[in-house]
Amino acid sequence: MSQSAARSVIPGFGITLGFSVLYLSLLFLLPVAGLVLFTFKMTWPEFWAAVSHPQVVASYKLSFLASFIGASINAVFGTLTAWVLVRYTFPGKKIVDALVDLPFALPTAVAGIALVTLYASTGWVGHYLDLFGIRVAYSEIGVVIALTYIGLPFVVRTVQPVLADFEKELEEASAALGASRLTTVRRVILPAILPALLTGYALAFARAVGEYGSVIFISGNMPYKTEITPLLIVAKAEQYDYNGAAAIGVVMLAAAFILLLMINGLQWWASRRG
Amino acid sequence: MSSLAQTQPALAAASLPKATAEPAWVKWTLVTVALTFLTLFLVLPLSVVLYGAFELGVKVWWDAITEPDALAAIRLTLFVLVIVVPLNAIFGIAIAWAIAKFEFKGKTLLISIIDMPFAISPVVVGLIFVILFGSQGWLGPWLSAHDIKIVFAVPGIIIVILFGTLPFVARELIPLMQQQGKEEEEASLTLGASGWKTFWYVTLPNIKWGLIYGVVLCNARAMGEFGAVAIVSGRIRGETNTMPLHIEVLYNEYMFTAAFAVSSLLTGLALVTIVIKSWVEYKDERRHKTA
């Protein structure tokens, strides 16, 4: 393998790869290893006590459940949005398409104060929800709203290209064989976009679990109720409880790593199917 | 199929419901549901920021962004950008060059590692560097003995933002350069051009748009980085508050108009980023059509 690099007429292999690996190691791999090693200084009971404290467990439950609900909302509405953007034409479509990327580009703190202003009981939307007795800001629903917002682009952007490349002949064949439109969508199109849909779902979920900025304003951060795990890490770090923060940090790192493996597996599956 | 289409009058085709399309009412219902969803989650948050920023007039907005603490936050944010964006752009070009132009062992692993900073919570990123450089951390005692301040100071902010925006340029360039292959560079080199010349006149024009978008996105994310900076900055007003941290301070002090005024600057930047992305995609599509 390395021989082909040596034989190539293109220069710069050693320097570009060397620089990249050095940069990644210094900035990323070594610091991450530093965090993991830091927790090794704790004894196992200490570590376990830090990561299984009831307040921390309550935050895991909220973070994972709210991320799950948010990603599920995005799976449904994201697929619908991708479908509408690929298959239909309507006025302003280009603007709508571009706007889908907003949660990628807008700083999370800005999104956070915008969402809480919107959904507080005095806000444009919260004001109406209040009439029905639904409280979004400073409740678990608020956390779900913020995590739905932050994961919105993922499903749309993974499903959209697959739908655009989907061969119309397959739909025609299905229709010619007598399938109704709904059956064609369910049995022909949906299976084709499933790997992309699951990848987008996992990406949205992974992003939501670690999200901080857009959540903390709308959640109200009540212990045992609306406190997400990343907030606990910040709180512990601010009280100089580095052991506690690092232990929870390692749990989140492990969760992120498992999710990443799943996403890679899904992408591999999707490319094999494609 | 085509002969059938010719024998069928166009009129009949138009009056029959198409087997591969939905009835109009289904279409418009789906469009309405999707647009309602996007309005609730994208258009309204955007509007509330701009409304909040200019509600009390342009003068109040201007005063909020030219007040000394706001200016200090803007200056610090721009200073961080000047360091972070070029470094991550150079890294992105270097790694994309190595991956796209050469075959080597561990390439797949390297590509997966680039994705990892995306998956790590910004809060954990901040924590990692507090533990590395903080007073109780690995290098803390050595740093304080040599009077070097990283955590709760500007260097710490720069490092976490470097980490947080590490993949953006690389992620844009790797697929682009892989897809373009290496024939053009090989031709240029075989004809006697130097490596630098080849990069400058052959590769760079080819990757120009992807690079521009990667840089713009890296720029937007660097300006907006919040969770990681919140941990390492120490929130010293006028000194280590970046724009997002300044927004948080203003919001927590119930200075909503000022918070939205500073937010409107970052929102404007986000909108510019989105416009550039659409433009780059449009250029890309056109190139594919003419090619």
Side-chain angles (χ1 to χ4, degrees), chain A residues 30-223:
Chain A
L30 282 175
V32 170
L35 175 72
V36 177
L37 284 176
F38 189 80
T39 58
F40 287 3
K41 293 205 282 195
M42 302 165 75
T43 65
W44 177 248
E46 275 173 359
F47 179 84
W48 184 248
V51 299
S52 67
H53 186 278
Q55 191 180 356
V56 182
V57 173
S59 82
Y60 298 146
K61 280 186 188 154
L62 174 67
S63 274
F64 281 89
L65 187 66
S67 301
F68 174 76
I69 298 173
S72 304
I73 293 172
N74 276 319
V76 175
F77 288 96
T79 308
L80 180 69
T81 304
W83 176 269
V84 163
L85 288 175
V86 171
R87 291 299 173 99
Y88 304 143
T89 47
F90 53 90
K93 182 171 129 169
K94 281 225 161 77
I95 297 170
V96 172
D97 194 353
L99 213 55
V100 168
D101 283 317
L102 188 72
F104 279 150
L106 191 70
T108 55
V110 175
I113 65 168
L115 288 173
V116 67
T117 308
L118 207 53
Y119 287 94
S121 55
T122 50
W124 294 350
V125 179
H127 166 72
Y128 291 104
L129 294 173
D130 223 36
L131 298 177
F132 299 98
I134 305 169
R135 236 181 115 206
V136 173
Y138 318 121
S139 79
E140 294 91 331
I141 307 174
V143 179
V144 171
I145 295 275
L147 296 181
T148 306
Y149 159 84
I150 206 71
L152 196 149
F154 292 100
V155 174
V156 182
R157 292 299 185 230
T158 49
V159 171
Q160 212 174 4
V162 182
L163 266 182
D165 288 344
F166 190 77
E167 287 167 34
K168 259 230 139 94
E169 286 82 354
L170 291 174
E171 286 172 58
E172 285 164 3
S174 168
L177 291 169
S180 71
R181 185 66 188 146
L182 193 64
T183 310
T184 303
V185 169
R186 203 161 49 86
R187 303 279 295 271
V188 178
I189 299 175
L190 204 58
I193 62 170
L194 190 65
L197 175 57
L198 287 175
T199 306
Y201 183 93
L203 285 167
F205 183 83
R207 174 75 208 264
V209 168
E211 179 55 23
Y212 174 72
S214 58
V215 181
I216 54 157
F217 296 99
I218 199 172
S219 69
N221 310 324
M222 284 164 277

Side-chain angles (χ1 to χ4, degrees), chain B residues 5 19 39 76 81 99 105 145 165 189 205 240 251 256 263 272 279:
Chain B
T39 305
L76 174 62
L81 282 185
I99 284 175
K105 272 188 194 131
T165 58
L189 289 158
T240 63
Y251 184 85
F256 299 131
S263 295
V272 169
W279 188 42

Side-chain angles (χ1 to χ4, degrees), chain B residues 237-254:
Chain B
R237 225 179 152 144
E239 249 179 77
T240 63
N241 266 354
T242 59
M243 286 167 79
L245 289 180
H246 186 60
I247 292 169
E248 187 197 20
V249 169
L250 291 171
Y251 184 85
N252 287 340
E253 288 173 355
Y254 304 102

Side-chain angles (χ1 to χ4, degrees), chain A residues 8 33 77 232:
Chain A
S8 169
F77 288 96
L232 271 181

Side-chain angles (χ1 to χ4, degrees), chain A residues 13-23:
Chain A
F13 176 67
I15 181 141
T16 54
L17 186 67
F19 173 73
S20 303
V21 170
L22 181 74
Y23 194 80

Side-chain angles (χ1 to χ4, degrees), chain B:
Chain B
M1 189 68 185
S2 61
S3 64
L4 193 72
Q6 275 159 10
T7 53
Q8 294 264 356
L11 192 77
S15 62
L16 277 170
K18 268 183 80 182
T20 56
E22 297 74 35
W25 69 268
V26 174
K27 173 192 163 176
W28 288 110
T29 311
L30 294 179
V31 170
T32 310
V33 172
L35 290 183
T36 308
F37 174 69
L38 296 178
T39 305
L40 272 177
F41 282 93
L42 302 178
V43 179
L44 286 180
L46 198 62
S47 316
V48 97
V49 173
L50 298 178
Y51 178 81
F54 295 103
E55 193 185 359
L56 302 179
V58 177
K59 169 114 190 11
V60 177
W61 174 81
W62 179 252
D63 289 345
I65 59 168
T66 50
E67 166 265 334
D69 283 346
L71 280 180
I74 294 170
R75 254 198 307 273
L76 174 62
T77 305
L78 292 177
F79 175 70
V80 170
L81 282 185
V82 170
I83 296 169
V84 165
V85 176
L87 271 175
N88 277 340
I90 291 169
F91 163 73
I93 294 170
I95 198 162
W97 181 270
I99 284 175
K101 309 291 177 196
F102 302 97
E103 292 304 323
F104 55 91
K105 272 188 194 131
K107 192 157 141 175
T108 327
L109 181 70
L110 192 61
I111 296 177
S112 338
I113 291 177
I114 301 168
D115 275 339
M116 287 171 84
F118 274 136
I120 298 178
S121 170
V123 166
V124 175
V125 174
L127 179 69
I128 285 170
F129 289 98
V130 166
I131 278 175
L132 204 59
F133 298 120
S135 55
Q136 298 174 40
W138 292 113
L139 301 173
W142 186 86
L143 289 172
S144 60
H146 290 79
D147 207 23
I148 304 171
K149 262 192 84 105
I150 292 185
V151 168
F152 308 139
V154 177
I157 297 173
I158 292 173
I159 291 170
V160 293
I161 295 180
L162 263 182
F163 184 119
T165 58
L166 180 73
F168 289 109
V169 178
R171 281 282 304 250
E172 285 304 312
L173 290 186
I174 291 169
L176 185 66
M177 282 170 78
Q178 274 182 323
Q179 177 205 328
Q180 284 171 350
K182 51 188 176 187
E183 285 82 8
E184 289 183 37
E185 280 83 5
E186 280 169 346
S188 157
L189 289 158
T190 318
L191 291 168
S194 71
W196 268 117
K197 227 174 177 167
T198 302
F199 172 75
W200 204 252
Y201 290 106
V202 178
T203 312
L204 207 55
N206 277 338
I207 61 168
K208 189 170 62 187
W209 296 112
L211 181 62
I212 289 174
Y213 177 56
V215 163
V216 169
L217 188 62
C218 177
N219 184 68
R221 290 297 282 265
M223 284 184 92
E225 182 61 62
F226 179 62
V229 182
I231 290 193
V232 296
S233 96
R235 293 189 171 89
I236 307 163
R237 225 179 152 144
E239 249 179 77
T240 63
N241 266 354
T242 59
M243 286 167 79
L245 289 180
H246 186 60
I247 292 169
E248 187 197 20
V249 169
L250 291 171
Y251 184 85
N252 287 340
E253 288 173 355
Y254 304 102
M255 295 166 74
F256 299 131
T257 308
F260 280 122
V262 180
S263 295
S264 71
L265 297 177
L266 292 172
T267 306
L269 179 81
L271 290 176
V272 169
T273 307
I274 290 175
V275 168
I276 290 178
K277 187 196 175 205
S278 307
W279 188 42
V280 167
E281 276 174 355
Y282 167 75
K283 286 252 172 197
D284 199 45
E285 257 170 50
R286 254 193 6 180
R287 211 186 46 220
H288 277 288
K289 271 182 196 150
T290 51

